[in-house]
């Protein structure tokens, strides 16, 4: 009763009932791949909750202090305040180690869910018009997530993260002309500087999370405004969304997913050790950990630095160090390609119409090949970031592994991308529903497929057919390709006196769907006239014209008399 009165009180002043009803009636698709975005959202919530707890105990300072905590190997040693507070949080704060490790696992899940979400959008063409803006928002969120993960990983001032931070400083410093100034601005002076950890703390806790929260809000608002995309299926078209309503079915499902994300995050934090900084020890510029590697989401940059050969040179007298290309140019080109892809594909294919239905990856072989090649390339770089670990486990020289990864980085993406491209062409040209069921004939047809790859030549779009039955009434049907042996057909059960009336009714039922002539079902065609009857029509018109001429001549004679 009290809740009802409170709701009525708020509605009488804010008039929220109408928009709330519309929001509750919003339909969400049921496909499991749409959960990646929600997992990323709930991981961000877990990051905010655990990060708030950690910020209460972390001291963002490199000032020296003597450690007197529970971890005996460090007892009585002089270390930085940032490192000391991290160790104390792990051993002396109740539930501190659990929350700290859950925070680290949540960051890994957050970035992984964003990558999977972007991969789903890329391979299904969900970035096309009118969703280019949301694609740009998502890529920006990925960039900020990587930045926030790296700053949080580097704040404890331990030997492993300090080594990575020193590499990042060198990469920024390698930028010609501007490198020294940018390094001073970002790190607060020559590394290691006293301002580095406080600046990272401010960016990690305040700036980047606020930007991410704003982008998530913008992403959701655009999603509500444009509606969800969906996979092709019977009953789905470019103008509807088939799935579950927000209330109550989808709300219960997404709350269960939220609880599952929190449960998995804290289970990982409690059962699986991650980033044990007390083992690494405090950062010392004269030392480095080996074997060691960063978190996987920045390992591709580390791998590129390890594989790129030493190739310093000068341009107009200015030195261009070798870390500039793998550390700066590769990352810049990667995100520039991500930002530009929707517009490049639209320009190449000429496809500029709005899309509500998603593509199957096989329907765009060129896009699939490029995506597979890119994933393989960055996977090789991630593996190369752990070449020292592999060398220790396999007992082989690191230099041999470096050359192996160099050949893999050049050959594996090309081979994998071409294989995915030709398999997609074979699926598109043949009748096999899956890769495992491809036959030699399908592969042969795929090799001879003369359609331009990547031109948006997937399954034909939905259409409306209008025809005349028995030469008397007009009917129409809605036809939607399903990708199977038989298309979805919905035929009107009303007769119309003219073709225009039938087309008008079809446009009202399915606005925007193209309308064209069609054939009536078997048995309802107008019977073909025999040859004599087909000639009778023109002969009858000739006889009628002659009769009128005779009558007209008789009338004129009568008047002349």
């Amino acid at each position: 009763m009290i809740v009802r009165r409170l709701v009525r009180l708020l509605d009488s002043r804010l008039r929220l009932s109408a928009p709330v009803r519309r929001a509750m009636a919003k339909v969400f698709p049921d496909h499991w791949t749409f959960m990646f975005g929600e997992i990323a959202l709930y991981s961000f919530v877990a990051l905010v909750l655990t990060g708030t707890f950690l910020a209460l105990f972390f001291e963002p300072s490199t000032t020296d202090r003597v450690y007197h905590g529970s971890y005996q190997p460090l007892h009585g040693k002089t270390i930085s305040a940032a490192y000391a507070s991290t160790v104390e949080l792990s051993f002396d704060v109740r539930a501190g180690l659990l929350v700290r490790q859950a925070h680290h696992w949540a960051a890994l899940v957050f970035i992984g869910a964003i990558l999977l979400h972007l991969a789903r959008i890329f391979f299904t063409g969900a970035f096309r018009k009118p969703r280019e803006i949301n694609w740009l928002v998502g890529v920006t969120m990925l960039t900020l997530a990587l930045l926030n993960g790296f700053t949080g990983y580097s704040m404890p001032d331990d030997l492993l993260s300090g080594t990575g931070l020193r590499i990042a400083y060198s990469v920024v410093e390698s930028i010609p002309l501007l490198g020294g100034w940018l390094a001073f601005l970002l790190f607060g002076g020559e590394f290691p500087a006293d301002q580095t950890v406080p600046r990272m703390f401010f960016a990690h806790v305040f700036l980047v999370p606020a930007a991410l929260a704003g982008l998530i809000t913008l992403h959701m608002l655009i999603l509500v405004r444009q509606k969800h995309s969906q996979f092709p299926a019977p009953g789905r078209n470019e103008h509807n969304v088939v799935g579950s309503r927000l209330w109550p079915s989808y709300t219960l499902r997404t709350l269960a997913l939220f609880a599952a994300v929190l449960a998995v995050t804290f289970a990982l934090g409690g059962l699986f050790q991650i980033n044990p900084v007390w083992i690494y020890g405090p950062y010392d510029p004269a030392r480095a950990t080996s074997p060691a590697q960063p978190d996987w989401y920045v390992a591709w940059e580390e791998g590129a630095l390890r594989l790129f050969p030493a190739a310093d040179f000068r341009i107009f007298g200015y030195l261009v160090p070798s870390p500039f290309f793998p550390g700066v140019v590769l990352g810049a080109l990667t995100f520039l390609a991500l930002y530009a892809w929707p517009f490049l594909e639209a320009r190449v294919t000429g496809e500029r119409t709005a899309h509500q239905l998603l593509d199957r990856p096989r329907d765009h072989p060129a896009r699939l090949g490029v995506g597979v090649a890119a994933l393989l390339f960055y996977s090789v770089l991630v593996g190369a970031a752990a070449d020292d670990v592999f060398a220790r486990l396999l007992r082989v020289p690191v230099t041999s592994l470096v050359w192996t990864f160099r050949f893999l980085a050049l050959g594996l993406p090309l081979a994998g991308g071409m294989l995915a491209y030709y398999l997609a062409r074979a699926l598109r040209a043949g009748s096999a529903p899956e890769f495992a069921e491809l036959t030699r004939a399908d592969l042969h047809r795929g090799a001879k497929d003369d359609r331009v790859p990547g031109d948006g030549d997937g399954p034909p779009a939905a259409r409306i057919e209008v025809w005349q039955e028995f030469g008397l009434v007009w009917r129409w049907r809605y036809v939607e390709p399903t990708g199977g042996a038989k298309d979805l057909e919905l035929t009107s059960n009303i007769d119309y006196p003219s073709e225009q009336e039938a087309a008008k009714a079809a446009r009202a039922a399915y606005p925007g769907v193209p309308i064209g002539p069609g054939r009536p079902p078997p048995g309802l065609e107008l019977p073909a006239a025999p040859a004599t009857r087909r000639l009778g029509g023109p002969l009858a018109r000739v006889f009628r014209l002659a009769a009128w001429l005779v009558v007209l001549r008789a009338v004129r004679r009568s008047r002349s008399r």
Side-chain angles (χ1 to χ4, degrees):
M1 192 71 179
I2 297 177
V3 175
R4 182 179 300 178
R5 288 183 178 179
L6 180 61
V7 170
R8 290 179 178 177
L9 181 67
L10 292 175
D11 185 60
S12 63
R13 287 159 175 78
L14 301 179
R15 299 180 181 178
L16 298 176
S17 58
V20 168
R21 288 194 187 98
R22 288 195 297 269
M24 292 299 180
K26 180 175 174 57
V27 177
F28 289 81
D30 294 327
H31 201 271
W32 60 272
T33 56
F34 289 90
M35 299 295 104
F36 292 141
E38 296 186 28
I39 293 174
L41 173 62
Y42 297 144
S43 299
F44 179 75
V45 175
L47 282 170
V48 173
L49 295 177
T50 55
T52 302
F53 178 87
L54 297 177
L56 300 176
F57 300 95
F58 180 74
E59 187 176 347
S61 173
T62 56
T63 305
D64 291 338
R65 53 176 282 197
V66 180
Y67 177 76
H68 295 289
S70 301
Y71 187 63
Q72 290 301 318
L74 290 176
H75 187 75
K77 293 186 177 181
T78 301
I79 55 179
S80 67
Y83 184 69
S85 63
T86 303
V87 176
E88 290 172 350
L89 196 152
S90 302
F91 288 94
D92 299 315
V93 177
R94 180 169 296 182
L97 182 60
L98 170 64
V99 175
R100 179 174 163 270
Q101 294 193 150
H103 184 76
H104 201 131
W105 280 113
L108 300 182
V109 174
F110 177 56
I111 299 175
I114 292 178
L115 285 174
L116 290 175
H117 186 58
L118 284 176
R120 195 271 301 173
I121 292 174
F122 177 83
F123 286 112
T124 60
F127 54 81
R128 297 174 298 175
K129 184 180 179 180
R131 295 178 174 84
E132 303 96 332
I133 298 177
N134 240 2
W135 169 264
L136 300 180
V137 172
V139 174
T140 306
M141 289 171 58
L142 174 61
T143 307
L144 294 177
L146 296 177
L147 174 62
N148 217 36
F150 179 75
T151 55
Y153 167 82
S154 304
M155 283 194 306
D157 198 33
D158 60 284
L159 185 58
L160 180 61
S161 63
T163 303
L165 195 60
R166 181 67 178 91
I167 295 173
Y169 179 87
S170 301
V171 169
V172 175
E173 202 175 24
S174 69
I175 301 176
L177 293 176
L178 302 177
W181 295 96
L182 289 175
F184 181 84
L185 177 65
L186 296 176
F187 294 89
E190 185 176 355
F191 189 85
D194 294 336
Q195 294 298 320
T196 301
V197 172
R199 292 191 180 190
M200 286 191 299
F201 178 81
F202 185 77
H204 182 79
V205 175
F206 296 103
L207 293 182
V208 180
L212 281 172
L215 289 175
I216 290 174
T217 303
L218 177 61
H219 186 78
M220 298 300 294
L221 290 176
I222 295 176
L223 180 64
V224 171
R225 178 63 179 173
Q226 294 182 341
K227 298 183 180 181
H228 265 288
S229 56
Q230 58 187 349
F231 286 96
R236 300 176 184 178
N237 56 55
E238 298 282 357
H239 307 281
N240 67 357
V241 179
V242 179
S244 303
R245 292 185 181 273
L246 176 60
W247 179 263
S249 58
Y250 195 83
T251 300
L252 297 176
R253 188 185 311 166
T254 192
L255 289 177
L257 180 62
F258 180 36
V261 170
L262 291 179
V264 171
T265 299
F266 280 92
L268 290 172
L271 300 176
F272 297 92
Q273 178 178 275
I274 189 170
N275 198 23
V277 296
W278 55 89
I279 297 177
Y280 307 144
Y283 177 66
D284 184 357
R287 300 171 57 198
T289 54
S290 182
Q293 64 285 325
D295 283 336
W296 65 268
Y297 52 85
V298 290
W300 60 277
E301 191 87 2
E302 172 81 8
L305 290 169
R306 298 189 184 194
L307 296 184
F308 196 81
D312 298 345
F313 62 93
R314 293 183 177 273
I315 297 180
F316 302 111
Y318 294 98
L319 177 66
V320 181
S322 56
F324 174 68
F325 287 98
V328 178
V329 175
L330 178 62
L333 291 178
T334 298
F335 284 95
L336 180 62
L338 288 175
Y339 279 113
W341 183 267
F343 310 101
L344 292 177
E345 180 173 306
R347 183 177 181 85
V348 171
T349 63
E351 182 62 48
R352 302 185 184 276
T353 58
H355 293 274
Q356 182 73 18
L357 294 177
L358 301 174
D359 296 327
R360 295 179 302 175
R362 70 176 67 178
D363 296 328
H364 287 261
R367 184 199 297 158
L368 179 64
V370 171
V372 170
L375 291 177
L376 290 175
F377 176 71
Y378 290 104
S379 298
V380 172
L381 295 185
V382 171
D387 57 2
D388 52 345
V389 178
F390 291 132
R392 183 176 181 179
L393 295 176
L394 301 176
R395 297 182 180 181
V396 296
V398 175
T399 53
S400 300
L401 288 177
V402 169
W403 280 104
T404 301
F405 278 112
R406 284 175 178 173
F407 286 120
L408 288 176
L410 296 176
L412 186 60
L414 181 61
M418 292 181 62
L419 178 62
Y421 168 67
Y422 282 108
L423 288 178
R425 290 184 58 171
L427 284 172
R428 186 180 63 177
S431 58
E434 298 178 358
F435 286 107
E437 300 182 17
L438 283 173
T439 62
R440 183 177 299 178
D442 293 331
L443 295 175
H444 185 69
R445 283 193 293 267
K448 292 186 175 182
D449 192 359
D450 58 354
R451 284 176 286 184
V452 178
D455 61 354
D457 54 356
R463 65 188 185 277
I464 292 176
E465 299 177 350
V466 181
W467 73 90
Q468 191 178 27
E469 291 184 357
F470 297 121
L472 301 175
V473 297
W474 290 84
R475 302 281 296 277
W476 61 270
R477 75 164 69 92
Y478 171 80
V479 182
E480 180 178 320
T482 61
K486 187 176 182 180
D487 296 337
L488 171 69
E489 295 185 3
L490 301 176
T491 305
S492 66
N493 55 4
I494 301 177
D495 300 333
Y496 297 92
S498 65
E499 181 181 5
Q500 291 76 15
E501 292 291 332
K504 182 179 179 181
R507 290 192 187 95
Y510 296 94
V513 179
I515 299 177
R519 297 180 61 85
L524 300 180
E525 301 93 344
L526 186 66
T532 55
R533 186 176 178 180
R534 288 198 300 268
L535 292 176
L539 291 176
R541 285 194 291 272
V542 171
F543 285 124
R544 283 197 295 270
L545 179 60
W548 277 106
L549 291 176
V550 172
V551 172
L552 181 60
R553 185 175 182 182
V555 171
R556 287 180 178 177
R557 286 181 178 179
S558 62
R559 287 181 179 179
S560 61
R561 292 177 183 176

